[in-house]
Amino acid sequence: MARAREESLSRLLMTFVSTGLVFMVFPGTFLGVWNLLQISGRESVASMSAAWLQAHGHAQVFGWVGTFILGIGFHSIPKLRGGASLYFRAAWVCWALWTSGVALRWTANVYLWEWRALLPVSAALELAAFAIFFRAVSQHLPESSGKRGLDTWILVVASASIGLLLLLLVNLAGCLYMALRAATPAFPHVFDQRYLALMAWGFLVPFVWGFSAKWMPVFMGLKPFRPRALVAAVVVNVTGILLTVCGAGSLGAWFFVGGAALAVVALRMFEPAVNQAKIRGVHASFPYFVRMAYGWLLVAAVLGVAAVLWDSSGGIWGASRHALTVGFVAVMIMSVGQRILPAFAGMRLLWSTKLMIVGLVLVTLGCTLRVSCEVIAYQGYGAWAWSVLPLSAFSELAGLTGFAINIFGTFILEPSHAYKQAVIVAAP
C-alpha cells in the first residue's frame, strides 16, 4: 500500500511537470522565438501583435512555472502522502482546470477564435484551480513546523502565493474588461506594465527566494540564511510593487534593487560555502549557476532603474524583464529542478548530467546575447544587434529543449526506487 501511494504521488507530480514542460517548449518558447524573429526582421517591436507577445508570456509564467509550483506544492502535502483519496482527486481536478485555463488563454490570444468568451473563461478556470490548490496546501501549513509559528521560508512562499492570488484576480478583472470593452484580447500597455510588475516581483521572485532559503543552505553548503534580512527584503519588495501598481514605477524600481540586494545578503548567496555542496546526481557546476541566477536578479533590478531613466523604445524594459524571467527564474528552475524533480518522482536519478550543463550554458549564453543586444538594437545604438537577437532566441530554445528532454528522459528511462526495490525482492 505504501508503494502504491508513492507511485500515485509520483505519477501526479510527473503529470504536472510534464504538462509544464509542454507549455514551456511549444506555446511558450517556440512562440517567443517566432515573435523575436518577426521583431528582428522588421527591426521594430511596434508592428508585432501585442496579443501574441502576451500569449508567449502567459504560457511561460502560468503554463510552465505555475504548473511546476502547483505540482511540487501538491507533492509536499502530508495528507497526500497519507493516501487520502479526497486530496488526490482535488489535485487532479486542479490540474485539469489549470491546464484548460492556460490552453484556452493561449488559443484566444493567438487565434482570436471566440476570444471574448474564452478570455474570461480561461481566467476563471485558472482562479478556480488555484483556489483548490490554496485550500489544500493551507490546511497543512501549521503542521509543517514542529515549533511555534511558521518558518521564515514558508512565510516568504506564502507571500508569493498571495501575490499569485492577486495576480489571478487582476487577470480575471482584465479579461472581463477586455471581453466587454476592447477590440483585441491584448491588455493595454499601461495596465500590462503594472500587471507584469506584479507577476514578476509579486509572484515569481518571492517564490524563488522562499525555496532558496529552504534548499540552498543544504544543496550549496551555505550557512543558514538570515531570517530578518529576508523578511526585510520581502517588505522592501512589496513596497516597490505597491508603488509601481499605484503609478509610481520610477520610485518602485529603486525598491526592487534594494529588495534584491537584501535577498542576496539574507541568503548568503555569494558567501563562501562552509560545507560540501550536495551535487550527487547532478553536474558539479550546479552551485555556480545558482549564484549566476542571483547575479541576473541584480542585473534585472538595475536595468529596471536604467529603464526609468533612459528607456525610449522599450528595449531596456524588455532586457530587464528577460534578465529576470530567463536569467533568474529559468536558470534557477533548470538548476534546482534537475536536482529535486528526479528525487520527487520516485527517487530517480537524473538521466544526463552532460545534457544539464549543455542546457544551462545555452540558456545563459542566449540570455546574455538577448539582454545586451535588446538594449543596443531597440535604443538605436547599433543596427548590427538586430541580427544577433535571433541567435539568442535559438540558443535559449536549444537550452530549454535540452532541459525538457532531460526531465522526460529521467521520467521515462530512469527506474524509480519502488521499481528497483521490486526487482531486488523478485530476484532469486
Side-chain angles (χ1 to χ4, degrees):
M1 291 179 64
R3 184 182 301 164
R5 288 197 298 269
E6 289 300 319
E7 289 177 353
S8 297
L9 197 60
S10 297
R11 193 179 305 114
L12 177 69
L13 175 71
M14 289 190 292
T15 301
F16 272 95
V17 171
S18 300
T19 303
L21 291 174
V22 171
F23 276 119
M24 177 198 75
V25 174
F26 297 106
T29 305
F30 269 115
L31 182 59
V33 170
W34 177 258
N35 290 341
L36 190 58
L37 290 175
Q38 296 295 308
I39 293 170
S40 300
R42 301 167 184 174
E43 297 190 359
S44 172
V45 72
S47 58
M48 189 63 207
S49 168
W52 280 38
L53 294 173
Q54 293 175 20
H56 155 70
H58 198 88
Q60 292 289 64
V61 174
F62 290 87
W64 175 25
V65 182
T67 308
F68 268 35
I69 289 172
L70 294 179
I72 293 172
F74 275 119
H75 181 275
S76 304
I77 296 177
K79 290 182 179 179
L80 279 184
R81 294 190 173 278
S85 59
L86 177 64
Y87 284 85
F88 271 107
R89 286 198 295 269
W92 284 110
V93 170
C94 175
W95 171 82
L97 293 175
W98 185 265
T99 302
S100 299
V102 177
L104 288 177
R105 175 60 174 272
W106 190 87
T107 302
N109 275 47
V110 172
Y111 294 104
L112 304 180
W113 180 78
E114 298 293 341
W115 66 267
R116 293 186 186 278
L118 293 185
L119 217 61
V121 169
S122 70
L125 289 173
E126 290 170 351
L127 184 59
F130 180 76
I132 295 172
F133 168 78
F134 193 81
R135 182 177 184 275
V137 173
S138 62
Q139 287 180 344
H140 96 279
L141 280 177
E143 305 169 11
S144 60
S145 178
K147 54 191 176 183
R148 181 180 299 177
L150 298 176
D151 291 335
T152 302
W153 76 269
I154 296 178
L155 295 176
V156 177
V157 171
S159 73
S161 299
I162 294 172
L164 176 55
L165 174 59
L166 293 175
L167 182 67
L168 290 168
L169 290 171
V170 172
N171 178 56
L172 177 58
C175 288
L176 286 171
Y177 177 85
M178 299 305 292
L180 295 173
R181 299 288 185 88
T184 73
F187 288 161
H189 177 71
V190 174
F191 177 87
D192 188 52
Q193 291 297 105
R194 298 175 186 181
Y195 174 78
L196 290 174
L198 178 60
M199 176 188 292
W201 296 97
F203 162 44
L204 296 175
V205 168
F207 255 120
V208 178
W209 288 355
F211 285 113
S212 294
K214 169 67 173 177
W215 290 325
M216 291 309 109
V218 176
F219 290 170
M220 295 177 60
L222 302 174
K223 292 181 181 179
F225 70 94
R226 299 179 175 95
R228 292 183 179 178
L230 187 57
V231 171
V234 172
V235 171
V236 172
N237 185 62
V238 169
T239 304
I241 295 168
L242 292 174
L243 289 169
T244 302
V245 170
C246 292
S250 57
L251 182 59
W254 290 96
F255 279 83
F256 293 145
V257 173
L262 278 171
V264 168
V265 172
L267 297 169
R268 303 179 184 270
M269 195 53 59
F270 297 115
E271 296 182 15
V274 294
N275 297 306
Q276 193 74 22
K278 305 292 185 180
I279 57 174
R280 182 176 179 272
V282 295
H283 197 272
S285 63
F286 165 78
Y288 300 101
F289 279 99
V290 171
R291 289 189 172 94
M292 193 180 301
Y294 272 89
W296 279 115
L297 172 66
L298 296 174
V299 169
V302 171
L303 281 173
V305 173
V308 168
L309 298 175
W310 300 302
D311 191 277
S312 60
S313 61
I316 305 178
W317 279 118
S320 174
R321 283 193 293 270
H322 204 79
L324 182 67
T325 55
V326 177
F328 177 53
V329 177
V331 171
M332 281 296 294
I333 292 175
M334 293 177 67
S335 300
V336 181
Q338 293 178 96
R339 175 67 177 78
I340 66 169
L341 291 177
F344 286 177
M347 298 300 295
R348 288 172 163 83
L349 294 176
L350 183 67
W351 184 47
S352 172
T353 58
K354 293 181 179 179
L355 190 55
M356 176 181 177
I357 181 63
V358 170
L360 283 166
V361 168
L362 288 172
V363 168
T364 302
L365 174 62
C367 187
T368 302
L369 293 174
R370 172 69 177 271
V371 170
S372 57
C373 290
E374 191 163 9
V375 174
I376 295 171
Y378 284 44
Q379 292 289 109
Y381 299 145
W384 58 269
W386 288 109
S387 61
V388 179
L389 285 173
L391 299 178
S392 73
F394 285 117
S395 181
E396 291 178 357
L397 173 61
L400 291 171
T401 303
F403 167 65
I405 291 172
N406 210 10
I407 297 298
F408 280 128
T410 300
F411 290 168
I412 297 170
L413 302 177
E414 291 293 323
S416 67
H417 176 71
Y419 177 80
K420 294 175 186 176
Q421 289 297 104
V423 171
I424 292 174
V425 171

